[in-house]
């Protein structure tokens, strides 16, 4: 497997060009080819000499992922993309059309790992187990493929696909920094969200390093005993310790931190709302309520009641729309598998 040229920061790429006996400014041209023009081969980089193109091809690959399947939801236009890695594994990304929303969002939900080690009982990715971390190039390539085949320029990225981003901290932060480059995707730090189940040492590092991306924490159970059952991470990093840290050490980002809460029938009582309020009493947060993607999802009336209970927190509350339900493209439904039923439409790739 060749090293991908997409694994590098600008300065690192400049060093590579210098080592190849070329001018450092060639690296900026490379970033424009890769991230603005979505080129997939060194041979298409027409302002490089033949000699440089062959030197680069000898040492590096451009695109480490192959798009295997593209699936369109007939309900809401959500699209799911299945990719094959060079070592034969599968990952998925989702394009979410929130164009009708206030800020005209077009979001790509990307994966950070093949499988996941966290074992949350309600999540399909957990069932695969952990295979390996994605490289920086594999993280970025998901966005490039989606942009290329749809012709759409997304303006929002969420690390909410397969995997636990904070178990692949270095690659996730590096990929997010590259997304933010003005001569690359140029996606604002306010429009990149990293979601974690609560890996406390990584959260501490993230806050200390003062990254500006949005941070989201999957709470999902306010009662530690239940959280232990549904999210084994609670045994190692209790949410109380995570919340205490967040209360005292706000992240540097511009936006409120997001508390994600997957609603089931048994975790939406008044007591739950009071417990969430108590946990994050002093934090600059907003609450994102996610209906469980399963028949066990609570009914609308009960969700509305829970929102009412949560209003004691006096913070913005959003109920996440369940998108892509006919293509298993919703939260916690990505399992890196070929399409197997449902009513979605397969688009030729
Ligand atoms: N590992 C990270 C990233 C996954 S993000 C994290 O835990 O934050 C995916 C979000 O979807 C998380 O908030 C997770 O709790 C939620 N989720 C998982 N399974 C779900 C399901 N079946 N229905 C609704 N949301 C789910």
């Amino acid at each position: 497997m060749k090293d991908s040229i997409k694994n590098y920061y600008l300065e690192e790429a400049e060093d590579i060009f210098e080592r190849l006996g070329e001018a450092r400014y060639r690296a900026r041209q490379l970033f424009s080819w890769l991230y603005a023009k979505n080129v997939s081969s060194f041979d298409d980089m027409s302002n490089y000499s033949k000699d440089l193109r062959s030197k680069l091809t000898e040492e590096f690959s451009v695109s480490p992922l192959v798009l295997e399947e593209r699936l369109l939801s007939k309900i809401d236009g959500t699209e799911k993309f299945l990719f094959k890695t060079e070592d034969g594994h599968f990952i998925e990304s989702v394009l979410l059309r929130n164009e009708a929303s206030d800020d005209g969002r077009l979001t790509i939900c990307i994966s950070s790992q093949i499988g996941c080690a966290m074992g949350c009982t309600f999540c399909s990715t957990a069932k695969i187990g952990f295979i390996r971390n994605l490289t920086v190039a594999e993280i970025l390539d998901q966005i490039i493929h989606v942009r290329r085949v749809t012709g759409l320029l997304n303006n929002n990225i969420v690390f909410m696909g397969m995997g636990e981003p904070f178990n692949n901290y270095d690659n996730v932060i590096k990929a997010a920094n590259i997304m933010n480059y003005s001569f690359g995707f140029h996606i604002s730090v306010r429009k990149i969200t990293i979601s974690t189940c609560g890996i406390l040492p990584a959260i501490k590092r993230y806050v200390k390093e003062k990254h500006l991306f949005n941070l989201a924490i999957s709470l999902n159970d306010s009662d530690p005993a239940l959280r232990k059952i549904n999210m084994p991470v609670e045994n190692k990093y209790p949410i109380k310790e995570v919340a205490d840290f967040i209360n005292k050490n706000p992240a540097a980002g511009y936006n409120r931190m997001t508390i994600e809460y997957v609603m089931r029938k048994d975790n939406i009582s008044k007591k739950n709302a009071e417990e969430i309020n108590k946990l994050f009493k002093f934090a600059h947060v907003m609450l994102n309520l996610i209906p469980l993607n399963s028949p066990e999802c609570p009914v609308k009336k009960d969700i509305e009641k829970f929102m009412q209970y949560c209003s004691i927190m006096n913070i913005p509350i959003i109920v996440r729309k369940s998108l892509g339900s006919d293509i298993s493209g919703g939260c916690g439904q990505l399992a890196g598998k070929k399409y197997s039923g449902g009513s979605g439409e397969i688009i030729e790739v």
Side-chain angles (χ1 to χ4, degrees):
M1 250 162 48
K2 271 191 219 168
D3 183 17
S4 170
I5 197 72
K6 287 186 192 134
N7 280 319
Y8 296 102
Y9 279 130
L10 178 72
E11 307 76 51
E12 293 172 325
E14 286 172 344
D15 290 346
I16 290 169
F17 279 92
E18 194 168 317
R19 173 167 60 73
L20 295 175
E22 298 280 339
R24 293 178 74 85
Y25 76 85
R26 293 285 182 200
R28 279 203 180 241
Q29 295 176 331
L30 174 83
F31 275 68
S32 160
W33 285 119
L34 295 178
Y35 303 113
K37 299 181 188 130
N38 290 341
V39 154
S40 57
S41 153
F42 291 116
D43 283 332
D44 294 331
M45 301 184 181
S46 56
N47 53 1
Y48 287 174
S49 69
K50 235 180 149 192
D51 178 48
L52 174 56
R53 288 184 224 166
S54 70
K55 276 194 277 190
L56 287 167
T57 308
E58 209 169 287
E59 205 177 322
F60 301 100
S61 72
V62 178
S63 187
L65 297 179
V66 174
L67 179 58
E68 287 275 313
E69 193 174 83
R70 180 178 171 193
L71 202 56
L72 173 69
S73 161
K74 287 185 180 164
I75 301 174
D76 50 41
T78 300
E79 287 193 54
K80 191 162 83 164
F81 301 84
L82 179 74
F83 298 105
K84 192 171 185 178
T85 63
E86 283 175 299
D87 53 350
H89 296 293
F90 291 96
I91 56 163
E92 289 178 303
S93 322
V94 181
L95 175 73
L96 302 146
R97 296 164 193 267
N98 313 81
E99 285 138 305
S101 69
D102 293 346
D103 54 357
R105 258 176 308 146
L106 190 57
T107 302
I108 302 181
C109 174
I110 54 173
S111 295
S112 58
Q113 297 184 312
I114 305 175
C116 185
M118 303 321 292
C120 300
T121 52
F122 45 86
C123 178
S124 306
T125 308
K127 302 200 165 55
I128 306 170
F130 174 67
I131 298 176
R132 70 166 170 82
N133 281 333
L134 292 182
T135 62
V136 173
E138 287 167 330
I139 295 171
L140 294 168
D141 219 22
Q142 298 171 56
I143 302 165
I144 291 169
H145 274 285
V146 173
R147 286 181 162 203
R148 186 189 303 131
V149 296
T150 62
L152 296 169
L153 283 184
N154 65 299
N155 51 10
N156 210 40
I157 298 281
V158 293
F159 280 89
M160 296 187 188
M162 295 164 66
E164 167 46 49
F166 272 0
N167 280 346
N168 186 14
Y169 185 94
D170 289 334
N171 290 350
V172 162
I173 296 293
K174 189 169 184 180
N177 279 330
I178 293 174
M179 288 169 204
N180 181 233
Y181 276 158
S182 58
F183 42 87
F185 296 149
H186 204 177
I187 297 179
S188 156
V189 286
R190 295 165 192 258
K191 301 280 189 180
I192 298 172
T193 301
I194 303 173
S195 177
T196 175
C197 64
I199 311 289
L200 187 53
I203 294 172
K204 286 184 175 167
R205 182 175 166 197
Y206 182 87
V207 171
K208 188 161 171 229
E209 291 175 350
K210 295 192 166 49
H211 296 292
L212 297 173
F213 313 111
N214 304 320
L215 193 58
I217 294 190
S218 298
L219 169 63
N220 300 345
D221 272 299
S222 58
D223 170 1
L226 258 190
R227 195 169 190 267
K228 256 185 202 172
I229 297 170
N230 292 315
M231 299 180 69
V233 67
E234 177 70 19
N235 293 297
K236 199 159 180 200
Y237 305 119
I239 196 64
K240 173 87 174 62
E241 285 177 27
V242 173
D244 283 349
F245 177 78
I246 294 291
N247 282 325
K248 291 191 199 113
N249 304 276
Y254 300 101
N255 296 332
R256 286 170 184 266
M257 211 189 74
T258 304
I259 304 298
E260 293 165 285
Y261 196 82
V262 176
M263 294 178 289
R264 306 182 309 262
K265 283 182 179 148
D266 64 342
N267 70 347
I268 53 169
S269 67
K270 189 155 182 249
K271 183 162 168 274
N272 288 118
E274 286 163 2
E275 284 169 352
I276 302 172
N277 184 35
K278 198 164 158 218
L279 269 173
F280 292 96
K281 187 118 191 115
F282 302 105
H284 189 56
V285 292
M286 57 184 249
L287 187 61
N288 198 331
L289 299 175
I290 312 173
L292 179 72
N293 275 317
S294 127
E296 292 306 299
C297 174
V299 294
K300 193 163 167 242
K301 180 174 91 346
D302 292 340
I303 291 177
E304 278 166 6
K305 221 194 277 168
F306 185 55
M307 281 182 79
Q308 201 59 42
Y309 298 147
C310 288
S311 65
I312 52 162
M313 284 178 241
N314 225 352
I315 55 171
I317 302 173
I318 295 167
V319 178
R320 192 179 290 177
K321 250 203 207 143
S322 292
L323 295 173
S325 55
D326 56 335
I327 56 170
S328 294
C331 306
Q333 297 187 312
L334 303 185
K337 273 199 214 118
K338 283 238 171 198
Y339 184 48
S340 55
S343 60
E345 180 189 337
I346 295 175
I347 304 177
E348 282 305 315
V349 292

